Amino acid sequence: MLTRIIFLLGCCIALSAGAQVQPGFNWPNGAKAAVSLAYDDTLASQLDVALPALNAQGLKASFYLQLSSPLLTARLSEWRAAAAQGHELGNHTLFHQCSAGKPGRDWVAAENNLDTISAVQLVQQIRLANSMLFAIDGKTERTFTAPCGDELAGGQPYLPLIYSDFVAIKAKTGAIVADMAQVNVYAVEVIAPVGSSGAELIALVKQAAQYGTMVNFTFHGIGGDHLSVSADAHADLLAYLAANRDTYWTDTFVNIMQYVTSR
């Protein structure tokens, strides 16, 4: 899971740096901002609460699967159905390895310590995860979210080794994108809300519209599981987005980033 963050409404503007997007950026159909709704870690509450809520509002989202999760096998038909409904199944590695050497990482098991696996080994696992995802949804273009936002394996940067495997990569917890001309598609920033209210989530969406950019939400549990947001807060956000489709383009992360890279 991504490093837990304290949700502070006043701390929601930041710049990314890297791959250039052309100036004069415009979203499809006159939208003022893009909204990416993503869900990490292959959790039951995502199938039980988030997915039905998304479908009820006609909104598409991205689910980043840990491919070794028992819940993937136990509910494979539901994940496959989610893909058939137009949702993205993203790559969140096989085993969700994170660095055990960082503060607050006592929960990282020794066998999942990113500090003790080589970058090459991790890349092999990530590519195997892509093959497994292809067997589930038949898709060949995909995006990746780095577990815990960690960018080193065995002390070496591993993300540059998989740039060619993905349309885009989420690798940082941060804030609303302040300038599309500064977006690095291989280090896109996300907001990982924990315990946020619907009003706080909607305020971030409105701020993205003020800047004409995008907001990337990465949720974990919805009304349960870990790092959760309440089902009511989540429902409030979805209802607002559905009621304002002309203002906000809400879509899968892969679709949004394909558009961004085409610009």
Side-chain angles (χ1 to χ4, degrees):
M1 56 189 160
L2 292 169
T3 304
R4 180 167 183 161
I5 64 169
I6 303 298
F7 183 90
L8 296 173
L9 191 57
C11 180
C12 53
I13 303 174
L15 291 175
S16 301
Q20 294 296 305
V21 178
Q22 294 178 3
F25 195 82
N26 295 306
W27 294 111
N29 302 314
K32 294 183 179 179
V35 180
S36 167
L37 303 171
Y39 306 81
D40 279 8
D41 293 356
T42 324
L43 303 178
S45 65
Q46 296 167 2
L47 289 174
D48 296 336
V49 181
L51 185 59
L54 287 161
N55 289 340
Q57 297 289 3
L59 299 173
K60 305 305 179 186
S62 301
F63 294 88
Y64 288 88
L65 301 184
Q66 174 193 333
L67 277 300
S68 66
S69 170
L71 192 70
L72 177 63
T73 303
R75 303 181 70 173
L76 181 59
S77 63
E78 293 171 77
W79 294 113
R80 183 170 280 132
Q85 292 159 358
H87 302 288
E88 176 189 5
L89 302 184
N91 191 324
H92 203 37
T93 73
L94 293 182
F95 304 113
H96 201 289
Q97 297 103 317
C98 295
S99 170
K102 293 184 177 181
R105 295 284 182 82
D106 55 339
W107 54 268
V108 177
E111 64 271 19
N112 290 329
N113 184 2
L114 202 58
D115 302 330
T116 60
I117 183 174
S118 72
V120 172
Q121 286 175 306
L122 182 61
V123 168
Q124 290 175 331
Q125 293 178 11
I126 290 168
R127 288 176 175 156
L128 175 58
N130 267 357
S131 297
M132 294 172 68
L133 287 166
F134 174 76
I136 296 171
D137 64 13
K139 305 292 186 182
T140 58
E141 293 197 305
R142 209 171 301 280
T143 61
F144 178 79
T145 294
C148 301
D150 292 339
E151 301 181 42
L152 303 179
Q156 300 296 317
Y158 76 89
L159 293 178
L161 303 179
I162 57 171
Y163 285 173
S164 62
D165 296 280
F166 295 100
V167 173
I169 293 172
K170 289 186 276 188
K172 299 177 182 294
T173 52
I176 293 168
V177 175
D179 183 357
M180 293 304 297
Q182 299 298 317
V183 171
N184 180 352
V185 299
Y186 298 119
V188 180
E189 290 183 317
V190 302
I191 295 172
V194 178
S196 306
S197 68
E200 288 172 326
L201 298 173
I202 291 167
L204 288 170
V205 171
K206 291 179 177 178
Q207 190 168 30
Q210 291 175 355
Y211 285 89
T213 59
M214 65 187 300
V215 57
N216 303 304
F217 290 114
T218 291
F219 296 103
H220 292 81
I222 303 296
D225 295 317
H226 58 259
L227 298 176
S228 63
V229 168
S230 73
D232 287 343
H234 181 257
D236 288 345
L237 172 63
L238 300 193
Y240 177 78
L241 293 172
N244 294 275
R245 296 179 194 274
D246 292 341
T247 303
Y248 305 105
W249 177 34
T250 305
D251 207 337
T252 63
F253 188 64
V254 68
N255 285 347
I256 292 172
M257 296 313 295
Q258 283 172 332
Y259 179 82
V260 169
T261 55
S262 75
R263 302 290 292 177

